């Protein structure tokens, strides 16, 4: 199923439709401020396993991001952080960053058997944030990769739908996606170590 949602003013009924799919253990493909993401409800183990199967990885080895609606959600899944780090997050988010933190015990057991860290995102995209807000908890997410390395990330929602319609339950057309992923920053030691350059420049916020 493909539905159109406008990011400037998302239709509440369409947002609710996406939330219902997630609550039933479905998978959605949705827009962010970077590339399109494949996501499911963080509390649904079976849905997480489905995403792992699509990506061909074991849950305990998966590097999924947790998509949160704001900073309030973040503290539910990470160990306490110092004030300096929090100040930078407040300035940089919502934005095109994935911040890696030390995970606490709320991270789903399925993912945390060998994992001590978690990647957190608060995308600057109304559709993604409103879905998470309406759901009431984060969604686990991974980027949609294209088989063609020249393109690398799929950007056209209609083509994404053609490719994934038999694999996922819902594709949200929020306009063309970006072709550049988020900047990944390791904050586990209390500083900001860039481990993948992407769309965001953390220097602007330090």
């Amino acid at each position: 199923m493909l539905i159109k949602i406008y990011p400037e003013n998302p239709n509440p009924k369409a947002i609710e439709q996406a939330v219902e799919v997630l609550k039933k253990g479905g998978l959605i493909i949705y827009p962010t401020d970077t590339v399109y993401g494949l996501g499911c409800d963080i509390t649904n183990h079976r849905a997480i396993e489905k995403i792992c199967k699509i990506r061909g990885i074991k849950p305990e080895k998966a590097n999924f991001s947790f998509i949160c609606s704001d900073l309030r959600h973040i503290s539910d899944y990470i160990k306490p952080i110092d004030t300096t780090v929090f100040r930078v997050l407040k300035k940089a988010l919502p934005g095109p960053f994935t911040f890696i933190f030390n995970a606490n015990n709320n991270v789903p057991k399925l993912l945390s058997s060998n994992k001590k860290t978690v990647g957190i995102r608060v995308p600057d995209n109304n559709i993604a944030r409103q879905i998470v807000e309406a759901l009431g908890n984060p969604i686990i997410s991974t980027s949609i990769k294209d088989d063609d390395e020249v393109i690398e990330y799929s950007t056209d929602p209609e083509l994404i739908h053609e490719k994934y319609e038999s694999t996922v339950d819902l594709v949200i057309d929020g306009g063309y996606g970006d072709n550049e992923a988020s900047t990944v920053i390791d904050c586990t030691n209390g500083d900001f170590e860039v481990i993948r350059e992407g769309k965001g420049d953390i220097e602007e916020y330090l």
Side-chain angles (χ1 to χ4, degrees):
M1 182 165 50
L2 178 68
I3 60 170
K4 176 85 181 165
I5 304 181
Y6 294 96
E8 303 77 28
N9 192 16
N11 180 327
K13 279 188 179 168
I15 293 290
E16 195 49 50
Q17 199 176 343
V19 169
E20 283 307 309
V21 168
L22 290 167
K23 282 181 177 170
K24 288 175 181 165
L27 307 186
I28 67 168
I29 290 176
Y30 65 98
T32 72
D33 51 353
T34 57
V35 299
Y36 266 79
L38 165 65
C40 72
D41 185 339
I42 198 173
T43 63
N44 193 304
H45 284 198
R46 195 170 288 175
I48 295 170
E49 283 168 349
K50 279 192 220 164
I51 289 186
C52 291
K53 200 172 176 186
I54 291 169
R55 292 302 300 264
I57 42 181
K58 292 182 176 171
E60 64 274 13
K61 295 209 169 130
N63 288 317
F64 295 142
S65 302
F66 289 14
I67 305 292
C68 300
S69 58
D70 54 30
L71 287 173
R72 182 175 42 95
H73 261 151
I74 292 177
S75 57
D76 292 342
Y77 295 94
I78 66 172
K79 290 186 175 168
I81 54 175
D82 65 35
T83 315
T84 316
V85 174
F86 184 76
R87 280 201 193 112
V88 173
L89 292 185
K90 214 167 173 186
K91 285 189 280 185
L93 296 175
F97 300 98
T98 301
F99 290 101
I100 310 289
F101 295 105
N102 293 306
N104 67 21
N105 293 334
N106 291 339
V107 172
K109 290 284 176 278
L110 183 70
L111 296 173
S112 61
S113 48
N114 296 319
K115 288 183 84 63
K116 304 283 187 286
T117 61
V118 59
I120 300 283
R121 282 213 68 204
V122 181
D124 188 11
N125 180 287
N126 290 331
I127 298 169
R129 291 205 317 279
Q130 285 189 24
I131 288 171
V132 172
E133 210 167 306
L135 181 64
N137 52 260
I139 55 180
I140 274 189
S141 186
T142 180
S143 301
I144 292 294
K145 284 267 191 182
D146 201 287
D147 300 330
D148 181 346
E149 287 192 14
V150 178
I151 306 172
E152 193 174 1
Y153 292 106
S154 299
T155 57
D156 182 336
E158 292 196 4
L159 294 178
I160 292 171
H161 178 250
E162 269 177 39
K163 183 176 177 179
Y164 288 96
E165 64 179 322
S166 59
T167 314
V168 304
D169 302 276
L170 178 68
V171 176
I172 295 169
D173 176 354
Y176 274 88
D178 208 314
N179 202 19
E180 193 176 10
S182 63
T183 295
V184 179
I185 297 160
D186 188 340
C187 300
T188 53
N189 296 317
D191 53 7
F192 297 89
E193 185 193 345
V194 176
I195 54 178
R196 181 184 76 191
E197 290 284 357
K199 192 175 173 185
D201 180 6
I202 195 63
E203 292 297 325
E204 292 176 23
Y205 304 100
L206 298 180

